[in-house]
């Protein structure tokens, strides 16, 4: 099972994520993609993370959905394109 926690800072995402960690979920904390990460590299790493949830319980404290918002806020180019987001949604659907 994949749980994704997304939202603005200081709203309790990490607290909720820690709760699920105590219940046996693997905790993955994400932030902005590291500088120099190519779109292909970032997409593949996100596919790998989401796909891993097919065989275990994973809670993500932030996610790639931030790429829909944060680039505009911080004035940077988005690492993921619309078609990349669609690929990730399809992978999500496949793992439930």
């Amino acid at each position: 099972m994949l749980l994704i926690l997304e939202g603005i800072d200081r709203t309790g995402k990490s607290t909720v994520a820690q709760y699920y960690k105590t219940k046996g979920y693997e905790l993955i904390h994400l932030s902005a993609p590291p500088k120099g990460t190519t779109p292909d590299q970032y997409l593949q790493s996100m596919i790998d993370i989401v796909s891993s949830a097919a065989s275990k319980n994973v809670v993500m404290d932030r996610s790639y959905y931030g790429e829909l918002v944060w680039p505009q806020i911080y004035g940077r180019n988005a690492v993921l394109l619309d078609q990349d987001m669609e690929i990730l949604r399809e992978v999500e659907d496949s793992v439930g």
Side-chain angles (χ1 to χ4, degrees):
M1 173 186 281
L2 175 64
L3 298 173
I4 297 175
L5 305 173
E6 192 62 71
I8 60 174
D9 291 347
R10 304 190 56 79
T11 57
K13 295 178 303 299
S14 294
T15 300
V16 172
Q18 286 298 323
Y19 168 79
Y20 278 100
K21 184 177 179 182
T22 68
K23 300 297 180 187
Y25 281 68
E26 177 183 336
L27 172 57
I28 298 173
H29 179 84
L30 294 176
S31 56
K35 289 185 181 190
T37 301
T38 68
D40 288 340
Q41 290 170 328
Y42 190 60
L43 176 61
Q44 188 58 55
S45 67
M46 295 302 100
I47 288 171
D48 293 344
I49 288 170
V50 173
S51 296
S52 74
S55 60
K56 58 187 171 185
N57 293 324
V58 175
V59 60
M60 292 177 69
D61 184 352
R62 296 207 182 257
S63 74
Y64 41 85
Y65 284 111
E67 281 297 289
L68 298 171
V69 177
W70 299 117
Q72 291 95 8
I73 292 172
Y74 290 110
R76 65 171 174 80
N77 292 327
V79 177
L80 296 174
L81 304 173
D82 289 342
Q83 60 263 28
D84 298 331
M85 295 301 287
E86 186 57 35
I87 290 167
L88 287 165
R89 285 187 196 105
E90 290 173 9
V91 174
E92 284 175 13
D93 287 344
S94 74
V95 299

